[in-house]
Amino acid sequence: MAKVKTRLYIRDRLSEQKPVSLDKQQSHFLKNVLRLEVGHAVALFNGEDGEWYATISHLSKSNCELLPVYLRQEQTNPRSLRLLFAPIKKGPLNFLIEKGTELGVTVFQPVITSRTNVEQVRVERLQTNAIEAAEQSGRLEVPVVLPPVSLTEATLKLSTNDRLLACLESGEAEQASTYSFTPVQSISILIGPEGGFSQDELDSLRKNSLVSAISLGPRILRAETAAISAIAVFQSQHGDWNERPKKTLWPDSFPLKP
């Protein structure tokens, strides 16, 4: 059986034998970067209809048409896990989005704090990074990158079923590895800016009944390190780390090019 290495996220609905067309950029990627040809197999997903194996039925310089022929995985959706973070510099931020996607974050919410130094957040670029990471990691859905909001606005949006885990560098806090919560709660993780939260922000967070102060250990972590550490601890304790990746093998009944 041939292993299909190429996965693409598309926005069209997917169903058996219903042709789908790729945009110019994706068509260029398949033809000129990967140098695929008509008959080659590609895995497609859209976050709604599962993962489909499809074959290239038409490929030109600016257009590619694929034909879904086999449902590889039924659609499943992970538990909601939101990451609220103060924007940081481009390189570390790209890294944060990529690794957060791989680790199972479902929503990325930039939050502006009093010590946030980054003036502009390129949401569209970050969303592209999330799509590419989802394609690479085998996810069936793509996390959403939301426009920035203030820290105050983000906390005001919390509902009674939400629990915000604020990773704080100082003061009393529960250990991230032993924190427990009820299954109905929607979990968000909050990572502060370089330099930490201001005293007013700390006081406001600690007074909020929907916020829990969380400790990530004795060392001062960079923002991207703190985010990845908190996500990893959550997923190991309460997430989907007991599952295994699905094999992506082409069935014997479809003698198509890998």
Side-chain angles (χ1 to χ4, degrees), residues 6 8 10 17 24 26 29 31 33 73 88 91 106 114 119 128 139 189 194 199 203 206 213 217 221 234:
T6 305
L8 287 179
I10 65 172
Q17 299 296 321
K24 185 176 181 179
Q26 289 177 316
F29 177 69
K31 180 177 176 61
V33 178
Q73 294 185 59
I88 51 180
T106 56
S114 62
E119 297 181 356
T128 298
R139 287 186 65 163
I189 296 171
E194 296 179 359
Q199 189 58 53
D203 292 341
R206 291 186 179 278
L221 305 180
F234 173 85

Side-chain angles (χ1 to χ4, degrees), residues 36-124:
L36 299 186
E37 300 173 352
V38 171
H40 275 105
V42 177
L44 302 177
F45 68 105
N46 61 7
E48 298 181 81
D49 302 316
E51 180 183 271
W52 286 79
Y53 281 155
T55 55
I56 300 175
S57 56
H58 171 77
L59 184 61
S60 65
K61 184 177 181 180
S62 58
N63 178 260
C64 177
E65 188 172 275
L66 299 103
L67 191 65
V69 294
Y70 176 76
L71 178 61
R72 171 62 181 83
Q73 294 185 59
E74 295 282 354
Q75 184 67 39
T76 58
N77 291 302
R79 176 173 184 164
S80 174
L81 176 59
R82 297 167 58 90
L83 178 66
L84 282 62
F85 62 93
I88 51 180
K89 294 180 181 178
K90 178 181 177 181
L93 181 52
N94 290 342
F95 181 82
L96 185 155
I97 297 295
E98 177 184 292
K99 302 310 173 186
T101 300
E102 292 178 16
L103 290 170
V105 171
T106 56
V107 176
F108 291 99
Q109 175 63 77
V111 294
I112 307 302
T113 71
S114 62
R115 293 176 179 170
T116 299
N117 293 321
V118 177
E119 297 181 356
Q120 187 175 20
V121 180
R122 298 185 181 276
V123 174
E124 186 175 346

Side-chain angles (χ1 to χ4, degrees), residues 177-188:
S177 59
T178 59
Y179 180 81
S180 61
F181 53 89
T182 61
V184 298
Q185 288 178 325
S186 176
I187 297 300
S188 299

